[in-house]
Amino acid sequence: MEYLYIKSLHIIFITTWFAGLFYIIRLFIYFKEAEEKPEPEKLILTKQYQLMIKRLWYMITWPSAILATLFAVWLLILNPAWLKTNWMLIKLSFVALLFAYHWSCQIMYNQTSKGYLKYSSFSLRIWNEVATVILFACVFLVVLKDALGWVFGVLGIVGVSILLMLGIKLYKTVRSKNNWDTK
């Protein structure tokens, strides 16, 4: 029974961690776009986004990352044999990428807390999809384990990435065509 409780808590905190990572990039985009507004709108929006970013980052995203990791380690302690399986080793590689992604968001957080962000809103939209690819990869690895051949798994991840990038380009085209930035 202990295993099921720990697994449930791990899933809950993975969910809130990803929710925080997805939303933080959205707030970075809004912050970046607020930089282009005239005063006093720029000052009002950037201050509000800085507050929202700080609360999300330190009250939801970081605690979720820490708790998800603690429960993951606990699960591996309960089932050390998983560390000898290919799917788990590949999943842990994606988890390492997730930590690198999280750290990159920390760097962006540090920039916004100083009042600037050096990335464009378009590059942030693309960066947001990296977390989506990591999420897809981890979920499919956990659910399918070794049932899916590595070739199909890699092709699936590449295919999802391509579809996401095409979706971003389509969104950018529709957004500029319909003047969504001025309404």
Side-chain angles (χ1 to χ4, degrees):
M1 201 58 151
E2 174 188 16
Y3 167 80
L4 294 176
Y5 285 114
I6 302 308
K7 183 177 180 180
S8 297
L9 289 168
H10 176 63
I11 292 168
I12 288 166
F13 288 110
I14 284 292
T15 303
T16 57
W17 185 11
F18 270 101
L21 289 174
F22 289 142
Y23 192 47
I24 198 78
I25 299 293
R26 175 59 41 202
L27 290 176
F28 291 157
I29 292 167
Y30 295 155
F31 178 89
K32 186 64 181 179
E33 291 175 350
E35 288 180 334
E36 300 166 8
K37 303 285 184 188
E39 293 294 347
E41 186 179 6
K42 175 183 175 179
L43 180 63
I44 293 167
L45 288 173
T46 55
K47 290 292 181 195
Q48 181 61 39
Y49 289 135
Q50 284 174 320
L51 178 63
M52 293 169 70
I53 288 166
K54 182 177 182 177
R55 287 178 179 169
L56 173 66
W57 196 241
Y58 286 118
M59 295 172 71
I60 296 172
T61 312
W62 261 112
S64 296
I66 292 166
L67 290 168
T69 303
L70 289 174
F71 290 119
V73 169
W74 195 340
L75 287 170
L76 289 173
I77 290 169
L78 292 173
N79 294 298
W82 281 352
L83 292 171
K84 295 178 182 174
T85 63
N86 288 333
W87 69 270
M88 180 55 77
L89 296 175
I90 294 169
K91 179 191 175 226
L92 290 175
S93 298
F94 279 104
V95 171
L97 288 174
L98 181 61
F99 279 110
Y101 182 88
H102 186 102
W103 185 250
S104 74
C105 290
Q106 179 67 52
I107 291 168
M108 290 180 217
Y109 167 81
N110 294 343
Q111 290 176 6
T112 60
S113 67
K114 293 174 185 171
Y116 73 96
L117 188 57
K118 71 176 188 175
Y119 304 97
S120 71
S121 61
F122 182 72
S123 64
L124 288 167
R125 283 183 175 85
I126 291 173
W127 189 241
N128 195 39
E129 301 311 325
V130 172
T132 304
V133 172
I134 294 170
L135 177 62
F136 269 74
C138 289
V139 169
F140 276 99
L141 281 165
V142 169
V143 172
L144 299 174
K145 295 183 176 48
D146 291 320
L148 192 69
W150 302 123
V151 174
F152 289 113
V154 169
L155 288 175
I157 291 169
V158 169
V160 166
S161 301
I162 290 169
L163 288 173
L164 289 170
M165 295 309 144
L166 289 172
I168 291 168
K169 288 202 100 31
L170 177 64
Y171 171 75
K172 184 178 180 182
T173 303
V174 169
R175 183 177 169 177
S176 66
K177 185 183 268 188
N178 293 328
N179 275 338
W180 287 357
D181 291 329
T182 57
K183 292 181 182 178

